[in-house]
């Protein structure tokens, strides 16, 4: 009597390759990218439709200071990356240091940008000074609001890290903050090249 071979398939639980939190963040960042694409499109319509850009009598934007500010924000992405690498390896003290450095760099970016705006307003560039001022403050202001939100979020993550809430096994809050930080930092060179240069 021939024995029948039985085939068994190992039952392994199916886990999503991307967590629900990361998927939600990716969808949110896609929506944010579309929002900024719309702002950039509107800016280009005004810029291409103008005979002279910037218009005569309007102040020139500070290229050098904003260039340095761009380097600061890009450097903050590196410190954020180091912080995330540290938490994944269970090095919480180093994580706190790297996140603190990221927080300082992001805050410096906002302060320098605020100082620039005060100077530009004093030179006569305001929201009501025509399409040039309106589009500048709308595009750059929306980005600054996003950086401010990222800094506030990072403050919360920083405090939670100091309290020992994150570990090598559980650090999704830091991961989501890192994704958002990369978005705002990566977007800025595009806006800098478009608006300032």
């Amino acid at each position: 009597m021939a024995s029948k071979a039985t085939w068994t398939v190992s039952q392994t639980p199916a886990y999503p390759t991307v967590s629900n939190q990361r998927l939600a963040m990716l969808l949110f960042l896609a929506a944010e990218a579309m929002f900024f694409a719309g702002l950039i499109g509107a800016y280009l319509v005004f810029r291409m439709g103008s005979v002279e850009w910037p218009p005569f009598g309007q102040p020139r934007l500070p290229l050098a200071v904003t260039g340095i500010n761009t380097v600061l924000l890009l450097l903050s992405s590196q410190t954020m990356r180091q912080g995330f690498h540290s938490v994944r390896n269970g090095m919480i003290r180093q994580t706190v240091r790297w996140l603190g450095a990221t927080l300082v760099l992001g805050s410096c970016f906002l302060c320098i940008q605020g100082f620039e705006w005060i100077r530009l307003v004093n030179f006569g560039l305001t929201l009501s000074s025509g399409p040039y001022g309106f589009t500048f403050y709308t595009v750059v202001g929306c980005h600054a609001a996003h950086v401010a939100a990222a800094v506030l979020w990072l403050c919360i993550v920083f405090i939670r890290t100091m309290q020992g809430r994150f570990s090598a096994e559980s650090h999704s809050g830091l991961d989501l903050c890192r994704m958002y930080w990369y978005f705002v930092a990566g977007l800025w060179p595009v806006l800098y090249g478009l608006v300032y240069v």
Side-chain angles (χ1 to χ4, degrees), residues 128-149:
S128 59
S129 59
Y132 181 62
F134 178 77
T135 55
F136 169 76
Y137 285 112
T138 301
V139 173
V140 176
C142 282
H143 179 265
H146 282 71
V147 175

Side-chain angles (χ1 to χ4, degrees), residues 71-87:
V71 171
L72 289 179
L73 194 58
L74 291 175
L75 185 58
S76 75
S77 291
Q78 179 63 21
T79 57
M80 175 62 89
R81 189 184 76 79
Q82 292 294 336
F84 184 69
H85 177 73
S86 296
V87 77

Side-chain angles (χ1 to χ4, degrees), residues 88-107:
R88 288 181 69 183
N89 290 314
M91 299 181 291
I92 304 304
R93 282 189 172 182
Q94 288 87 343
T95 304
V96 170
R97 289 190 195 111
W98 286 117
L99 294 183
T102 307
L103 198 53
V104 168
L105 289 168
S107 300

Side-chain angles (χ1 to χ4, degrees), residues 107-123:
S107 300
C108 285
F109 175 85
L110 287 175
C111 289
I112 291 170
Q113 200 166 54
F115 177 71
E116 284 179 21
W117 288 4
I118 292 170
R119 291 187 62 202
L120 289 171
V121 168
N122 289 336
F123 287 139

Side-chain angles (χ1 to χ4, degrees), residues 3-26:
S3 62
K4 292 183 178 178
T6 57
W7 298 89
T8 59
V9 178
S10 62
Q11 298 293 325
T12 56
Y15 294 107
T17 55
V18 178
S19 70
N20 290 338
Q21 295 169 332
R22 285 179 62 89
L23 180 59
M25 178 55 74
L26 289 171

Side-chain angles (χ1 to χ4, degrees), residues 3-63:
S3 62
K4 292 183 178 178
T6 57
W7 298 89
T8 59
V9 178
S10 62
Q11 298 293 325
T12 56
Y15 294 107
T17 55
V18 178
S19 70
N20 290 338
Q21 295 169 332
R22 285 179 62 89
L23 180 59
M25 178 55 74
L26 289 171
L27 292 173
F28 174 72
L29 293 180
E32 290 289 291
M34 288 187 284
F35 170 73
F36 276 100
L39 288 179
I40 290 169
Y43 174 83
L44 289 174
V45 166
F46 281 112
R47 184 170 183 168
M48 300 302 175
S50 297
V51 177
E52 185 181 8
W53 195 270
F56 178 75
Q58 292 295 323
R60 299 294 185 252
L61 300 176
L63 286 176

Side-chain angles (χ1 to χ4, degrees), residues 136-176:
F136 169 76
Y137 285 112
T138 301
V139 173
V140 176
C142 282
H143 179 265
H146 282 71
V147 175
V151 167
L152 289 175
W153 189 357
L154 183 56
C155 283
I156 295 168
V157 168
F158 180 72
I159 292 168
R160 289 174 63 87
T161 305
M162 287 195 303
Q163 293 172 342
R165 300 283 185 90
F166 298 121
S167 65
E169 297 77 24
S170 176
H171 51 264
S172 63
L174 175 53
D175 185 29
L176 297 176

